[in-house]
mmCIF file of all heavy atoms in Angstrom:
data_model
loop_
_atom_site.group_PDB
_atom_site.id
_atom_site.type_symbol
_atom_site.label_atom_id
_atom_site.label_comp_id
_atom_site.label_asym_id
_atom_site.label_seq_id
_atom_site.Cartn_x
_atom_site.Cartn_y
_atom_site.Cartn_z
ATOM 1 N N ILE A 1 89.309 81.643 89.105
ATOM 2 C CA ILE A 1 89.023 82.452 90.394
ATOM 3 C C ILE A 1 88.397 83.812 90.076
ATOM 4 O O ILE A 1 87.568 84.306 90.796
ATOM 5 C CB ILE A 1 90.343 82.576 91.184
ATOM 6 C CG1 ILE A 1 90.933 81.235 91.566
ATOM 7 C CG2 ILE A 1 90.100 83.586 92.325
ATOM 8 C CD1 ILE A 1 89.859 80.543 92.527
ATOM 9 N N SER A 2 88.792 84.347 88.907
ATOM 10 C CA SER A 2 88.204 85.634 88.528
ATOM 11 C C SER A 2 88.439 85.650 86.942
ATOM 12 O O SER A 2 88.963 84.747 86.339
ATOM 13 C CB SER A 2 88.935 86.848 89.154
ATOM 14 O OG SER A 2 90.101 87.128 88.521
ATOM 15 N N TYR A 3 88.003 86.824 86.431
ATOM 16 C CA TYR A 3 88.197 87.090 84.984
ATOM 17 C C TYR A 3 89.305 88.139 84.689
ATOM 18 O O TYR A 3 89.379 88.753 83.637
ATOM 19 C CB TYR A 3 86.840 87.573 84.348
ATOM 20 C CG TYR A 3 85.744 86.453 84.440
ATOM 21 C CD1 TYR A 3 84.503 86.815 84.931
ATOM 22 C CD2 TYR A 3 86.069 85.133 84.181
ATOM 23 C CE1 TYR A 3 83.511 85.838 84.930
ATOM 24 C CE2 TYR A 3 85.080 84.162 84.309
ATOM 25 C CZ TYR A 3 83.788 84.583 84.649
ATOM 26 O OH TYR A 3 82.844 83.598 84.730
ATOM 27 N N LYS A 4 90.139 88.367 85.769
ATOM 28 C CA LYS A 4 91.385 89.200 85.482
ATOM 29 C C LYS A 4 92.343 88.395 84.516
ATOM 30 O O LYS A 4 92.462 87.255 84.544
ATOM 31 C CB LYS A 4 92.106 89.449 86.784
ATOM 32 C CG LYS A 4 91.256 90.264 87.804
ATOM 33 C CD LYS A 4 92.008 90.385 89.126
ATOM 34 C CE LYS A 4 91.252 91.173 90.225
ATOM 35 N NZ LYS A 4 91.994 91.217 91.387
ATOM 36 N N ILE A 5 92.961 89.094 83.700
ATOM 37 C CA ILE A 5 93.925 88.487 82.730
ATOM 38 C C ILE A 5 95.298 88.409 83.428
ATOM 39 O O ILE A 5 96.064 89.326 83.470
ATOM 40 C CB ILE A 5 94.088 89.450 81.426
ATOM 41 C CG1 ILE A 5 92.656 89.760 80.907
ATOM 42 C CG2 ILE A 5 94.901 88.643 80.421
ATOM 43 C CD1 ILE A 5 91.851 88.567 80.559
ATOM 44 N N CYS A 6 95.460 87.230 84.037
ATOM 45 C CA CYS A 6 96.745 87.093 84.864
ATOM 46 C C CYS A 6 96.953 85.561 85.131
ATOM 47 O O CYS A 6 96.203 85.041 85.945
ATOM 48 C CB CYS A 6 96.504 87.886 86.261
ATOM 49 S SG CYS A 6 97.802 87.773 87.325
ATOM 50 N N THR A 7 97.857 84.970 84.400
ATOM 51 C CA THR A 7 98.102 83.527 84.646
ATOM 52 C C THR A 7 99.680 83.283 84.409
ATOM 53 O O THR A 7 100.387 84.299 84.301
ATOM 54 C CB THR A 7 97.433 82.707 83.468
ATOM 55 O OG1 THR A 7 98.029 83.114 82.264
ATOM 56 C CG2 THR A 7 95.944 83.009 83.376
ATOM 57 N N ARG A 8 100.051 82.125 84.491
ATOM 58 C CA ARG A 8 101.502 81.813 84.322
ATOM 59 C C ARG A 8 101.900 82.057 82.843
ATOM 60 O O ARG A 8 103.136 81.940 82.578
ATOM 61 C CB ARG A 8 101.757 80.446 84.772
ATOM 62 C CG ARG A 8 101.118 79.222 84.025
ATOM 63 C CD ARG A 8 101.517 77.939 84.729
ATOM 64 N NE ARG A 8 100.662 76.831 84.187
ATOM 65 C CZ ARG A 8 100.532 75.665 84.903
ATOM 66 N NH1 ARG A 8 101.105 75.537 86.054
ATOM 67 N NH2 ARG A 8 99.769 74.702 84.424
ATOM 68 N N SER A 9 101.003 82.258 82.022
ATOM 69 C CA SER A 9 101.339 82.703 80.642
ATOM 70 C C SER A 9 101.722 84.108 80.522
ATOM 71 O O SER A 9 102.376 84.553 79.539
ATOM 72 C CB SER A 9 100.273 82.338 79.628
ATOM 73 O OG SER A 9 100.121 80.991 79.387
ATOM 74 N N GLY A 10 101.290 84.929 81.468
ATOM 75 C CA GLY A 10 101.709 86.345 81.484
ATOM 76 C C GLY A 10 100.616 87.173 82.002
ATOM 77 O O GLY A 10 99.410 86.716 82.338
ATOM 78 N N ASN A 11 100.803 88.501 82.058
ATOM 79 C CA ASN A 11 99.867 89.456 82.564
ATOM 80 C C ASN A 11 99.107 90.075 81.414
ATOM 81 O O ASN A 11 99.180 89.783 80.194
ATOM 82 C CB ASN A 11 100.518 90.519 83.496
ATOM 83 C CG ASN A 11 101.571 91.304 82.697
ATOM 84 O OD1 ASN A 11 101.464 91.580 81.454
ATOM 85 N ND2 ASN A 11 102.639 91.669 83.433
ATOM 86 N N GLU A 12 98.171 91.077 81.776
ATOM 87 C CA GLU A 12 97.286 91.582 80.759
ATOM 88 C C GLU A 12 98.096 92.467 79.781
ATOM 89 O O GLU A 12 97.794 92.377 78.534
ATOM 90 C CB GLU A 12 96.258 92.493 81.442
ATOM 91 C CG GLU A 12 95.348 93.209 80.321
ATOM 92 C CD GLU A 12 94.005 93.657 81.004
ATOM 93 O OE1 GLU A 12 93.633 93.181 82.063
ATOM 94 O OE2 GLU A 12 93.325 94.499 80.326
ATOM 95 N N GLU A 13 99.141 93.156 80.126
ATOM 96 C CA GLU A 13 99.988 93.921 79.195
ATOM 97 C C GLU A 13 100.644 93.099 78.169
ATOM 98 O O GLU A 13 100.678 93.332 77.061
ATOM 99 C CB GLU A 13 100.962 94.883 79.874
ATOM 100 C CG GLU A 13 100.256 95.979 80.644
ATOM 101 C CD GLU A 13 99.290 96.867 79.781
ATOM 102 O OE1 GLU A 13 99.826 97.206 78.716
ATOM 103 O OE2 GLU A 13 98.123 97.011 80.091
ATOM 104 N N GLN A 14 101.166 91.875 78.720
ATOM 105 C CA GLN A 14 101.730 90.972 77.741
ATOM 106 C C GLN A 14 100.717 90.299 76.853
ATOM 107 O O GLN A 14 101.041 90.091 75.694
ATOM 108 C CB GLN A 14 102.509 89.910 78.599
ATOM 109 C CG GLN A 14 103.742 90.440 79.335
ATOM 110 C CD GLN A 14 104.169 89.528 80.381
ATOM 111 O OE1 GLN A 14 103.466 88.761 80.991
ATOM 112 N NE2 GLN A 14 105.472 89.478 80.571
ATOM 113 N N PHE A 15 99.503 89.998 77.468
ATOM 114 C CA PHE A 15 98.455 89.506 76.529
ATOM 115 C C PHE A 15 98.128 90.488 75.483
ATOM 116 O O PHE A 15 98.000 90.166 74.256
ATOM 117 C CB PHE A 15 97.225 89.222 77.367
ATOM 118 C CG PHE A 15 96.111 88.573 76.677
ATOM 119 C CD1 PHE A 15 96.144 87.177 76.366
ATOM 120 C CD2 PHE A 15 95.073 89.421 76.098
ATOM 121 C CE1 PHE A 15 94.994 86.572 75.727
ATOM 122 C CE2 PHE A 15 94.052 88.720 75.449
ATOM 123 C CZ PHE A 15 93.979 87.346 75.240
ATOM 124 N N LYS A 16 97.967 91.764 75.788
ATOM 125 C CA LYS A 16 97.625 92.829 74.797
ATOM 126 C C LYS A 16 98.712 92.904 73.716
ATOM 127 O O LYS A 16 98.393 93.073 72.501
ATOM 128 C CB LYS A 16 97.393 94.175 75.449
ATOM 129 C CG LYS A 16 96.176 94.287 76.269
ATOM 130 C CD LYS A 16 96.020 95.671 76.905
ATOM 131 C CE LYS A 16 94.770 95.777 77.744
ATOM 132 N NZ LYS A 16 94.683 97.135 78.423
ATOM 133 N N ASP A 17 100.019 92.832 74.086
ATOM 134 C CA ASP A 17 101.050 92.935 73.210
ATOM 135 C C ASP A 17 101.066 91.850 72.253
ATOM 136 O O ASP A 17 101.132 91.896 71.017
ATOM 137 C CB ASP A 17 102.419 92.956 73.973
ATOM 138 C CG ASP A 17 103.603 93.079 73.071
ATOM 139 O OD1 ASP A 17 103.764 94.100 72.401
ATOM 140 O OD2 ASP A 17 104.391 92.120 73.076
ATOM 141 N N MET A 18 100.791 90.601 72.778
ATOM 142 C CA MET A 18 100.698 89.374 71.852
ATOM 143 C C MET A 18 99.578 89.619 70.874
ATOM 144 O O MET A 18 99.756 89.273 69.601
ATOM 145 C CB MET A 18 100.478 88.184 72.734
ATOM 146 C CG MET A 18 100.068 86.868 71.993
ATOM 147 S SD MET A 18 99.338 85.676 72.940
ATOM 148 C CE MET A 18 97.804 86.310 73.460
ATOM 149 N N VAL A 19 98.400 89.916 71.342
ATOM 150 C CA VAL A 19 97.248 90.090 70.369
ATOM 151 C C VAL A 19 97.586 91.097 69.358
ATOM 152 O O VAL A 19 97.310 90.884 68.074
ATOM 153 C CB VAL A 19 95.964 90.486 71.117
ATOM 154 C CG1 VAL A 19 94.805 90.785 70.201
ATOM 155 C CG2 VAL A 19 95.503 89.300 72.054
ATOM 156 N N LYS A 20 98.104 92.225 69.695
ATOM 157 C CA LYS A 20 98.456 93.264 68.746
ATOM 158 C C LYS A 20 99.483 92.782 67.741
ATOM 159 O O LYS A 20 99.277 92.957 66.507
ATOM 160 C CB LYS A 20 99.062 94.448 69.458
ATOM 161 C CG LYS A 20 99.429 95.629 68.471
ATOM 162 C CD LYS A 20 99.975 96.783 69.384
ATOM 163 C CE LYS A 20 100.479 97.994 68.428
ATOM 164 N NZ LYS A 20 101.013 99.064 69.282
ATOM 165 N N ARG A 21 100.503 92.165 68.189
ATOM 166 C CA ARG A 21 101.701 91.731 67.289
ATOM 167 C C ARG A 21 101.094 90.629 66.362
ATOM 168 O O ARG A 21 101.542 90.595 65.185
ATOM 169 C CB ARG A 21 102.849 91.307 68.116
ATOM 170 C CG ARG A 21 103.549 92.503 68.724
ATOM 171 C CD ARG A 21 104.482 91.994 69.833
ATOM 172 N NE ARG A 21 105.644 91.194 69.258
ATOM 173 C CZ ARG A 21 106.642 90.658 70.010
ATOM 174 N NH1 ARG A 21 106.610 90.781 71.309
ATOM 175 N NH2 ARG A 21 107.576 89.885 69.430
ATOM 176 N N CYS A 22 100.392 89.681 66.836
ATOM 177 C CA CYS A 22 99.889 88.606 66.021
ATOM 178 C C CYS A 22 98.925 89.097 65.074
ATOM 179 O O CYS A 22 98.957 88.719 63.771
ATOM 180 C CB CYS A 22 99.244 87.527 66.887
ATOM 181 S SG CYS A 22 100.450 86.488 67.829
ATOM 182 N N ASN A 23 97.982 90.002 65.393
ATOM 183 C CA ASN A 23 97.005 90.567 64.430
ATOM 184 C C ASN A 23 97.757 91.349 63.345
ATOM 185 O O ASN A 23 97.318 91.366 62.221
ATOM 186 C CB ASN A 23 96.002 91.510 65.157
ATOM 187 C CG ASN A 23 94.737 90.676 65.643
ATOM 188 O OD1 ASN A 23 94.419 89.679 65.086
ATOM 189 N ND2 ASN A 23 94.184 91.108 66.792
ATOM 190 N N ASN A 24 98.822 92.076 63.773
ATOM 191 C CA ASN A 24 99.502 92.970 62.841
ATOM 192 C C ASN A 24 100.212 92.062 61.656
ATOM 193 O O ASN A 24 100.416 92.725 60.638
ATOM 194 C CB ASN A 24 100.564 93.754 63.523
ATOM 195 C CG ASN A 24 99.947 94.947 64.246
ATOM 196 O OD1 ASN A 24 98.778 95.285 64.070
ATOM 197 N ND2 ASN A 24 100.785 95.613 65.061
ATOM 198 N N VAL A 25 100.399 90.796 61.935
ATOM 199 C CA VAL A 25 100.904 89.952 60.829
ATOM 200 C C VAL A 25 99.925 89.052 60.311
ATOM 201 O O VAL A 25 100.252 87.985 59.655
ATOM 202 C CB VAL A 25 102.238 89.207 61.344
ATOM 203 C CG1 VAL A 25 103.364 90.124 61.582
ATOM 204 C CG2 VAL A 25 101.945 88.361 62.563
ATOM 205 N N GLY A 26 98.673 89.315 60.652
ATOM 206 C CA GLY A 26 97.568 88.482 60.163
ATOM 207 C C GLY A 26 97.275 87.152 60.734
ATOM 208 O O GLY A 26 96.770 86.225 60.068
ATOM 209 N N VAL A 27 97.781 86.920 61.991
ATOM 210 C CA VAL A 27 97.526 85.695 62.692
ATOM 211 C C VAL A 27 96.558 86.071 63.805
ATOM 212 O O VAL A 27 96.825 86.933 64.612
ATOM 213 C CB VAL A 27 98.832 85.111 63.283
ATOM 214 C CG1 VAL A 27 98.544 83.813 64.150
ATOM 215 C CG2 VAL A 27 99.868 84.838 62.208
ATOM 216 N N ARG A 28 95.374 85.366 63.820
ATOM 217 C CA ARG A 28 94.306 85.661 64.838
ATOM 218 C C ARG A 28 94.519 84.816 66.085
ATOM 219 O O ARG A 28 95.100 83.771 66.079
ATOM 220 C CB ARG A 28 92.982 85.292 64.219
ATOM 221 C CG ARG A 28 92.752 85.937 62.820
ATOM 222 C CD ARG A 28 93.067 87.410 62.925
ATOM 223 N NE ARG A 28 92.690 88.184 61.654
ATOM 224 C CZ ARG A 28 93.114 89.322 61.206
ATOM 225 N NH1 ARG A 28 94.125 89.905 62.025
ATOM 226 N NH2 ARG A 28 92.763 89.826 60.117
ATOM 227 N N ILE A 29 93.946 85.354 67.170
ATOM 228 C CA ILE A 29 93.989 84.771 68.459
ATOM 229 C C ILE A 29 92.585 84.336 68.973
ATOM 230 O O ILE A 29 91.583 85.157 68.847
ATOM 231 C CB ILE A 29 94.574 85.705 69.550
ATOM 232 C CG1 ILE A 29 95.978 86.171 69.128
ATOM 233 C CG2 ILE A 29 94.504 85.155 70.920
ATOM 234 C CD1 ILE A 29 97.001 85.029 69.182
ATOM 235 N N TYR A 30 92.465 83.139 69.343
ATOM 236 C CA TYR A 30 91.249 82.508 69.856
ATOM 237 C C TYR A 30 91.460 82.024 71.260
ATOM 238 O O TYR A 30 92.310 81.329 71.598
ATOM 239 C CB TYR A 30 90.790 81.291 69.026
ATOM 240 C CG TYR A 30 90.853 81.625 67.484
ATOM 241 C CD1 TYR A 30 91.926 81.105 66.727
ATOM 242 C CD2 TYR A 30 89.843 82.328 66.896
ATOM 243 C CE1 TYR A 30 91.996 81.452 65.411
ATOM 244 C CE2 TYR A 30 89.869 82.653 65.548
ATOM 245 C CZ TYR A 30 90.855 82.102 64.834
ATOM 246 O OH TYR A 30 91.022 82.431 63.476
ATOM 247 N N VAL A 31 90.655 82.593 72.221
ATOM 248 C CA VAL A 31 90.699 82.350 73.641
ATOM 249 C C VAL A 31 90.040 81.027 74.070
ATOM 250 O O VAL A 31 88.840 81.055 73.691
ATOM 251 C CB VAL A 31 90.318 83.535 74.433
ATOM 252 C CG1 VAL A 31 90.042 83.236 75.930
ATOM 253 C CG2 VAL A 31 91.390 84.699 74.298
ATOM 254 N N ASP A 32 90.506 80.318 74.793
ATOM 255 C CA ASP A 32 89.873 79.135 75.411
ATOM 256 C C ASP A 32 89.105 79.721 76.595
ATOM 257 O O ASP A 32 89.736 80.077 77.702
ATOM 258 C CB ASP A 32 90.912 78.101 75.984
ATOM 259 C CG ASP A 32 90.358 76.767 76.242
ATOM 260 O OD1 ASP A 32 89.084 76.709 76.279
ATOM 261 O OD2 ASP A 32 91.125 75.788 76.391
ATOM 262 N N ALA A 33 87.841 79.827 76.445
ATOM 263 C CA ALA A 33 86.932 80.497 77.516
ATOM 264 C C ALA A 33 86.363 79.469 78.391
ATOM 265 O O ALA A 33 85.599 78.666 78.034
ATOM 266 C CB ALA A 33 85.870 81.324 76.737
ATOM 267 N N VAL A 34 86.854 79.573 79.722
ATOM 268 C CA VAL A 34 86.284 78.766 80.692
ATOM 269 C C VAL A 34 85.162 79.483 81.478
ATOM 270 O O VAL A 34 85.505 80.244 82.418
ATOM 271 C CB VAL A 34 87.411 78.236 81.693
ATOM 272 C CG1 VAL A 34 86.921 77.193 82.680
ATOM 273 C CG2 VAL A 34 88.559 77.646 80.919
ATOM 274 N N VAL A 35 83.897 79.271 81.134
ATOM 275 C CA VAL A 35 82.831 80.109 81.701
ATOM 276 C C VAL A 35 81.683 79.117 82.194
ATOM 277 O O VAL A 35 80.623 79.655 82.610
ATOM 278 C CB VAL A 35 82.272 81.022 80.674
ATOM 279 C CG1 VAL A 35 83.370 81.958 80.263
ATOM 280 C CG2 VAL A 35 81.691 80.282 79.367
ATOM 281 N N ASN A 36 81.837 77.891 82.170
ATOM 282 C CA ASN A 36 80.856 76.935 82.710
ATOM 283 C C ASN A 36 80.944 76.934 84.280
ATOM 284 O O ASN A 36 79.879 76.659 84.864
ATOM 285 C CB ASN A 36 80.991 75.501 82.177
ATOM 286 C CG ASN A 36 80.126 74.462 82.848
ATOM 287 O OD1 ASN A 36 78.950 74.435 82.716
ATOM 288 N ND2 ASN A 36 80.819 73.553 83.669
ATOM 289 N N HIS A 37 82.056 77.162 84.779
ATOM 290 C CA HIS A 37 82.252 76.928 86.264
ATOM 291 C C HIS A 37 83.226 77.842 86.732
ATOM 292 O O HIS A 37 84.070 78.481 86.066
ATOM 293 C CB HIS A 37 82.628 75.469 86.458
ATOM 294 C CG HIS A 37 83.866 75.083 85.640
ATOM 295 N ND1 HIS A 37 83.621 74.365 84.373
ATOM 296 C CD2 HIS A 37 85.173 75.187 85.738
ATOM 297 C CE1 HIS A 37 84.831 74.142 83.860
ATOM 298 N NE2 HIS A 37 85.740 74.661 84.648
ATOM 299 N N MET A 38 83.487 77.736 88.088
ATOM 300 C CA MET A 38 84.770 78.399 88.721
ATOM 301 C C MET A 38 85.516 77.184 89.184
ATOM 302 O O MET A 38 85.481 76.107 88.684
ATOM 303 C CB MET A 38 84.252 79.274 89.776
ATOM 304 C CG MET A 38 83.395 80.429 89.329
ATOM 305 S SD MET A 38 84.246 81.455 88.131
ATOM 306 C CE MET A 38 85.255 82.577 89.181
ATOM 307 N N CYS A 39 86.425 77.384 90.299
ATOM 308 C CA CYS A 39 87.304 76.335 90.740
ATOM 309 C C CYS A 39 86.435 75.284 91.342
ATOM 310 O O CYS A 39 85.297 75.329 91.558
ATOM 311 C CB CYS A 39 88.356 76.945 91.680
ATOM 312 S SG CYS A 39 87.724 77.302 93.293
ATOM 313 N N GLY A 40 87.179 74.189 91.819
ATOM 314 C CA GLY A 40 86.606 73.078 92.478
ATOM 315 C C GLY A 40 86.018 73.378 93.840
ATOM 316 O O GLY A 40 86.512 74.291 94.518
ATOM 317 N N ALA A 41 84.948 72.682 94.271
ATOM 318 C CA ALA A 41 84.287 72.904 95.574
ATOM 319 C C ALA A 41 85.302 72.616 96.676
ATOM 320 O O ALA A 41 85.082 73.270 97.801
ATOM 321 C CB ALA A 41 83.156 72.075 95.669
ATOM 322 N N ALA A 42 86.338 71.884 96.469
ATOM 323 C CA ALA A 42 87.273 71.560 97.502
ATOM 324 C C ALA A 42 88.508 72.513 97.385
ATOM 325 O O ALA A 42 89.614 72.214 97.955
ATOM 326 C CB ALA A 42 87.781 70.102 97.453
ATOM 327 N N GLY A 43 88.367 73.611 96.685
ATOM 328 C CA GLY A 43 89.503 74.511 96.489
ATOM 329 C C GLY A 43 89.898 75.315 97.648
ATOM 330 O O GLY A 43 90.931 76.041 97.617
ATOM 331 N N GLY A 44 89.105 75.247 98.746
ATOM 332 C CA GLY A 44 89.427 76.080 99.919
ATOM 333 C C GLY A 44 89.211 77.543 99.846
ATOM 334 O O GLY A 44 88.363 77.917 99.120
ATOM 335 N N SER A 45 89.996 78.230 100.521
ATOM 336 C CA SER A 45 89.879 79.629 100.555
ATOM 337 C C SER A 45 91.266 80.366 100.695
ATOM 338 O O SER A 45 92.261 79.720 101.042
ATOM 339 C CB SER A 45 88.938 80.204 101.600
ATOM 340 O OG SER A 45 89.490 79.840 102.937
ATOM 341 N N GLY A 46 91.296 81.590 100.444
ATOM 342 C CA GLY A 46 92.459 82.399 100.446
ATOM 343 C C GLY A 46 92.866 83.103 99.330
ATOM 344 O O GLY A 46 92.035 83.556 98.591
ATOM 345 N N THR A 47 94.175 83.334 99.068
ATOM 346 C CA THR A 47 94.675 84.004 97.879
ATOM 347 C C THR A 47 95.601 83.235 97.079
ATOM 348 O O THR A 47 96.463 83.728 96.303
ATOM 349 C CB THR A 47 95.316 85.371 98.410
ATOM 350 O OG1 THR A 47 96.446 85.006 99.285
ATOM 351 C CG2 THR A 47 94.364 86.275 99.117
ATOM 352 N N HIS A 48 95.538 81.874 97.117
ATOM 353 C CA HIS A 48 96.465 81.036 96.356
ATOM 354 C C HIS A 48 95.847 80.993 94.901
ATOM 355 O O HIS A 48 95.319 79.914 94.452
ATOM 356 C CB HIS A 48 96.574 79.644 96.912
ATOM 357 C CG HIS A 48 95.334 78.912 97.360
ATOM 358 N ND1 HIS A 48 94.457 79.276 98.406
ATOM 359 C CD2 HIS A 48 94.729 77.792 96.790
ATOM 360 C CE1 HIS A 48 93.529 78.509 98.512
ATOM 361 N NE2 HIS A 48 93.577 77.599 97.526
#
């Protein structure tokens, strides 16, 4: 719906904390980037 960092995995602050803590112990983070499309054409409208 947008490129805001906000999903059921957590918010942006939690994401930043994860990246920092993992990098600090030498474990890298790779993001699954969904950039070919947005939601389905039948997704309706609103704030869901």
Side-chain angles (χ1 to χ4, degrees):
I1 295 300
S2 80
Y3 298 134
K4 296 178 182 178
I5 310 303
C6 181
T7 65
R8 61 184 169 201
S9 288
N11 59 33
E12 181 163 339
E13 290 308 308
Q14 291 167 326
F15 183 85
K16 288 179 177 178
D17 180 66
M18 171 195 68
V19 173
K20 178 181 178 180
R21 289 167 62 182
C22 290
N23 272 330
N24 283 347
V25 293
V27 180
R28 306 312 186 199
I29 298 297
Y30 311 102
V31 163
D32 196 347
V34 184
V35 297
N36 171 67
H37 54 261
M38 298 301 281
C39 73
S45 63
T47 58
H48 50 290

